[in-house]
Amino acid sequence: MTTLAPSLSRRRFLTTAAMAGGMALLPRAARAAGASRPPIARIEPVTETLWGERIVDRYRWLENTADRDWMPFMRGQDAYARSVLDAYPDRPRLLKRIAAMSGDVTQVTYPKPAGSIRFLQKREAGAANYRIVAHYPDGREQVLADPATFATDRSPASISWWVPSPTGRYLAFGVALAGTENAVGHVVEVASARLLPDRIVDAQYAAASWLPDDSGFFYNRFAGRPVGSPDYYNDRSLWLHRVDTAQSVDRKIMAAGMNAAVPMSAISSPELQVGIGTDHVALVMRDGYVRAFAIYLARRYEVLAGKAAWRQICRADEGVADFALSGDTLYVISNNASANGALLGIDAATGTLATARVLMPAGKTVLDELNAGRDGTFVTVNDGGEQSLFFQPSTGPMRPVALPYAGWVQSVAVNPADGGALIRITSWLQPGTIFAIAARTSAATNTGLQQRPAIDLSPYEYRRIVATARDGTRVPISIIRRKGRIVAAPCLVHAYGAYQWPSQPVFDARGIAFLEAGGIIATAHVRGGGEYGRAWHEGGQKATKPNTWRDLIDCCETLIAQDYTSSRQLAIIGGSAGGITVGRAMTERPDLFAAVISKVGMSNPLRAEFEPNGQPNVPEFGSIKDEAGFRGLKAMDSYHAVKDGARYPAVMLTTSSKDARVAPHNAAKMAARLQAANPSGIALLRIDFEGGHDMNDLSKAKTDLEYADDFAFVLAITKNY
């Protein structure tokens, strides 16, 4: 039962607290400007008894964005954070350098071929946002989708998804305004660059899959609830949209209760993959964000006629981690026999998981991702975060795709017409490069579509070391640093560890500014992620989640032991679910770190399932509705782990007021709690009042500012600790 305890303070929150000890670490300009005091949140405890344990939530009111104190508190916190960050002496220099490097060359990401056209997400050198362009064989380019045309003075726009039709005749894309992620789908005719009248609402994560004749596409549709609703992500459905028609005539293909042969829960999300070179289509169902799929097959003409006889290939609990449909074969990665996955081939007409043939048995590395080709499937293989690529033809042995270096295969996009593909790869000190792969030879050639930045990378090196966690598990650490003798330096360590998503090697031009300032950037490949497949994920999920932040602690102690840094120079950073990782590492070992950055991070998992994105996250983190789930969530909760009087590192939390994936109260409550627990410490709350979960929405300027804040904060704290 929930009870409201008497308020400890009926003052409306605009009181202040002394920051005497913390002022020593604040910039002199901020102190001179009188910016040494953030607003204090009123304390209004809510007390609950959950599974026999009394839980006191002092700042539950911060979950209510309609509370009259909510916006003044958030505005005041952000203003205070801005006054501190803007006064750091290194920040102007860092921002100038970051802006120069991020805008040094034209950036091209996620290329997709269709017909004779290469569709590109492209940001010209120095430009603010990415646009979608068509790149023709003669080198000519045509802009097809520009977010600036959809923006207003009060609502910036971003392109959240885009998919060309199989022949390249059309482009479907989604536009989200003001960071809400509540995307509206559009269609443009490529030859004329004419925007068609199609308007498709509630298309946040459309996962659009075109019909082979370009006449329409299947898409995933949200239920249409207001952003911020507790069940915002629930009750999604699958629809068919025909080009140049109104959404009102779209046909519903699948929804909960629509077909007894296809069970769906409130958190089920249906998507459809149209096979390449086949009349089969695959309906995939996933509950939440865990990599576990239920798959059904049917004939495309049956689906279009409204008479689909869906044949179940596997349930979500049968260990299928990915799939691709090409010709007469459904390719699946199966974790049943091994957590690393085996590649199986299933006859699309009559086969089942039980009758599948083994195409590639499980090995020491992880089968990570499949992308259907014309006559087979591309297979991405993961080894601790570094990837390689293979092609499995419909007949014959698998053959490797020769890549110039080990790194992250960011995207594989197949041309339905000829089976060739465009891929983009990158690594820690290798800028992203786009290669074309010939279908029959699997030879990769540089397309020249991506310019190489004019940044001298020769002074830097990448190292990979291994930390031995307290339970004996070997956890890899990726390190980027200046070449030469190892000397303790400011070190920024990234960690994530959730959803079986690995922390991949990616080149980040902005990060070079931190290296130039004498810093080290490291990534701790903690459990909960996907660096070593399903077993690595399950080693940091629900009841085993403490391994995630303890791996980070053990990795940081290894960096100190090997003289890369010291506790006075050590900072950790994590975003979204990585907020659990850095928050609990900090609250468990506050003595180990000088600075902590939690970016749109989860700080209050005990309240997660009451957020808009809460129910889909239950399979990953658990539910307070059962005792084991409650115990696991309580262990993850850094907000409730804060102790009065403890000396915590300097902390910067970031959030967006329109974030529907990790509600802004996570950062707000954590900031309020830290400021009350240790009034002499530094706890900054930086807020984007226009953005969503992806705070910057591909905006170059906003991303530059965010990096400058992060690096200036870390350098100021580690230099002056």
Side-chain angles (χ1 to χ4, degrees):
M1 179 177 174
T2 301
T3 59
L4 288 175
S7 173
L8 298 185
S9 173
R10 290 296 178 186
R11 291 172 295 176
R12 296 307 301 171
F13 91 90
L14 291 175
T15 54
T16 56
M19 297 282 290
M23 284 187 66
L25 296 181
L26 293 175
R28 185 177 304 166
R31 298 201 302 271
S36 60
R37 298 183 177 94
I40 289 180
R42 74 176 192 262
I43 298 175
E44 193 169 279
V46 173
T47 302
E48 297 173 292
T49 299
L50 300 173
W51 299 100
E53 185 169 345
R54 184 171 178 266
I55 305 295
V56 180
D57 190 343
R58 307 184 193 192
Y59 303 106
R60 180 72 60 87
W61 69 271
L62 279 167
E63 297 179 19
N64 179 15
T65 59
D67 187 288
R68 68 179 184 179
D69 287 345
W70 190 86
M71 186 56 76
F73 174 78
M74 301 294 271
R75 291 284 185 189
Q77 287 285 339
D78 184 63
Y80 169 72
R82 277 267 54 92
S83 70
V84 173
L85 294 167
D86 290 346
Y88 283 132
D90 286 333
R91 188 178 177 280
R93 174 184 56 80
L94 286 166
L95 179 57
K96 183 178 179 180
R97 183 63 175 142
I98 288 167
M101 287 190 289
S102 67
D104 180 57
V105 296
T106 295
Q107 292 291 331
V108 178
T109 60
Y110 301 104
K112 299 174 184 178
S116 62
I117 304 171
R118 291 170 171 175
F119 293 84
L120 311 174
Q121 182 170 279
K122 188 171 186 178
R123 192 193 72 211
E124 301 293 341
N129 294 295
Y130 283 88
R131 304 182 297 181
I132 311 302
V133 304
H135 181 93
Y136 294 95
D138 61 3
R140 180 174 54 92
E141 290 192 345
Q142 182 179 34
V143 176
L144 301 174
D146 186 345
T149 63
F150 298 92
T152 67
D153 291 341
R154 301 185 64 182
S155 296
S158 62
I159 295 174
S160 55
W161 59 265
W162 56 280
V163 186
S165 66
T167 69
R169 182 179 178 185
Y170 300 111
L171 175 78
F173 62 97
V175 177
L177 293 177
T180 63
E181 301 178 12
N182 196 0
V184 175
H186 300 269
V187 178
V188 64
E189 183 183 61
V190 173
S192 63
R194 179 173 63 95
L195 189 67
L196 300 181
D198 310 52
R199 297 294 181 273
I200 307 165
V201 301
D202 301 318
Q204 279 83 323
Y205 309 135
S209 183
W210 282 90
L211 292 168
D213 64 359
D214 293 357
S215 64
F217 53 87
F218 299 95
Y219 69 98
N220 179 280
R221 184 172 175 178
F222 274 47
R225 299 186 176 101
V227 176
S229 301
D231 53 358
Y232 176 69
Y233 286 87
N234 290 4
D235 303 315
R236 285 180 260 182
S237 50
L238 179 70
W239 295 73
L240 173 64
H241 175 76
R242 294 287 188 175
V243 172
D244 212 6
T245 66
Q247 190 179 21
S248 60
V249 299
D250 286 359
R251 187 151 60 84
K252 187 186 294 185
I253 303 298
M254 186 58 62
M258 189 171 171
N259 189 321
V262 185
M264 290 178 61
S265 70
I267 63 172
S268 297
S269 182
E271 298 176 7
L272 191 140
Q273 184 181 105
V274 176
I276 294 181
T278 178
D279 65 354
H280 292 283
V281 294
L283 172 66
V284 58
M285 202 76 63
R286 180 167 65 173
D287 288 351
Y289 305 111
V290 176
R291 290 187 64 176
F293 301 97
I295 301 175
Y296 305 81
L297 293 183
R299 299 283 185 175
R300 184 175 65 252
Y301 64 84
E302 294 175 342
V303 176
L304 296 178
K307 300 177 180 179
W310 294 106
R311 185 168 62 85
Q312 188 177 62
I313 300 300
C314 64
R315 301 187 310 272
D317 61 357
E318 291 189 286
V320 171
D322 204 5
F323 74 99
L325 182 58
S326 172
D328 296 326
T329 303
L330 175 70
Y331 299 89
V332 302
I333 295 174
S334 171
N335 292 140
N336 264 348
S338 168
N340 285 352
L343 180 64
L344 308 181
I346 300 173
D347 184 277
T350 61
T352 65
L353 195 60
T355 62
R357 67 188 191 276
V358 177
L359 301 175
M360 180 180 181
K364 294 182 178 180
T365 53
V366 177
L367 301 189
D368 194 40
E369 186 177 295
L370 300 179
N371 285 277
R374 184 75 189 178
D375 301 302
T377 184
F378 289 94
V379 184
T380 304
V381 177
N382 195 12
D383 184 5
E386 295 183 346
Q387 294 182 327
S388 51
L389 187 65
F390 296 81
F391 184 75
Q392 172 62 60
S394 54
T395 58
M398 182 181 291
R399 57 180 184 259
V401 176
L403 302 178
Y405 51 82
W408 176 23
V409 183
Q410 285 183 302
S411 66
V412 178
V414 178
N415 192 333
D418 61 14
L422 291 177
I423 68 169
R424 191 178 196 272
I425 63 172
T426 183
S427 193
W428 301 113
L429 289 173
Q430 292 286 351
T433 310
I434 297 171
F435 291 87
I437 301 175
R440 302 206 174 274
T441 65
S442 297
T445 56
N446 193 331
T447 63
L449 291 171
Q450 174 63 68
Q451 298 173 319
R452 187 176 178 88
I455 302 172
D456 183 8
L457 299 175
S458 62
Y460 309 107
E461 67 176 3
Y462 156 60
R463 292 189 177 194
R464 193 176 180 92
I465 64 173
V466 175
T468 301
R470 61 198 69 188
D471 64 357
T473 301
R474 291 170 60 80
V475 182
I477 309 170
S478 297
I479 302 170
I480 313 169
R481 62 182 292 273
R482 187 175 290 275
K483 294 175 182 175
R485 186 171 63 90
I486 297 175
V487 177
C491 185
L492 181 57
V493 184
H494 168 268
Y496 185 68
Y499 305 112
Q500 201 174 324
W501 294 345
S503 294
Q504 306 283 29
V506 58
F507 176 74
D508 188 348
R510 295 178 175 93
I512 301 300
F514 190 75
L515 303 184
E516 290 176 341
I520 295 172
I521 294 176
T523 297
H525 298 275
V526 298
R527 278 173 283 183
E531 280 81 351
Y532 295 110
R534 189 184 70 185
W536 202 250
H537 174 226
E538 292 175 349
Q541 183 190 26
K542 292 185 176 179
T544 61
K545 191 64 179 174
N547 287 333
T548 302
W549 65 80
R550 288 170 185 161
D551 282 356
L552 174 57
I553 290 170
D554 296 341
C555 286
C556 287
E557 289 187 324
T558 297
L559 289 168
I560 292 171
Q562 296 191 19
D563 295 326
Y564 285 97
T565 190
S566 67
S567 61
R568 294 182 298 104
Q569 299 167 297
L570 180 60
I572 53 176
I573 183 170
S576 196
I580 294 174
T581 309
V582 297
R584 286 299 282 119
M586 174 190 71
T587 49
E588 193 162 295
R589 284 293 308 278
D591 60 302
L592 187 60
F593 312 105
V596 178
I597 301 176
S598 178
K599 307 183 79 62
V600 293
M602 293 179 68
S603 301
N604 189 201
L606 271 178
R607 296 290 297 166
E609 62 194 289
F610 303 102
E611 300 180 23
N613 199 23
Q615 292 301 315
N617 268 309
V618 168
E620 177 69 19
F621 301 114
S623 169
I624 63 170
K625 295 175 184 177
D626 64 81
E627 185 172 4
F630 162 71
R631 302 293 174 200
L633 288 165
K634 175 70 185 312
M636 299 176 209
D637 198 299
S638 53
Y639 166 67
H640 283 290
V642 174
K643 294 180 173 61
D644 289 325
R647 185 180 184 276
Y648 291 104
V651 179
M652 180 165 66
L653 303 121
T654 72
T655 188
S656 297
S657 61
K658 299 175 183 176
D659 191 345
R661 278 190 265 170
V662 178
H665 73 249
N666 281 269
K669 291 168 72 173
M670 188 66 174
R673 185 71 186 94
L674 286 168
Q675 289 166 359
N678 183 21
S680 64
I682 296 176
L684 306 180
L685 176 56
R686 180 185 181 274
I687 303 163
D688 183 349
F689 293 97
E690 294 180 342
H693 189 65
D694 295 320
M695 293 174 62
N696 302 315
D697 298 317
L698 301 181
S699 165
K700 175 188 178 302
K702 289 175 68 176
T703 305
D704 291 345
L705 289 168
E706 184 181 3
Y707 270 75
D709 285 347
D710 293 348
F711 294 161
F713 175 74
V714 171
L715 291 172
I717 299 301
T718 57
K719 287 180 179 179
N720 298 302
Y721 195 89

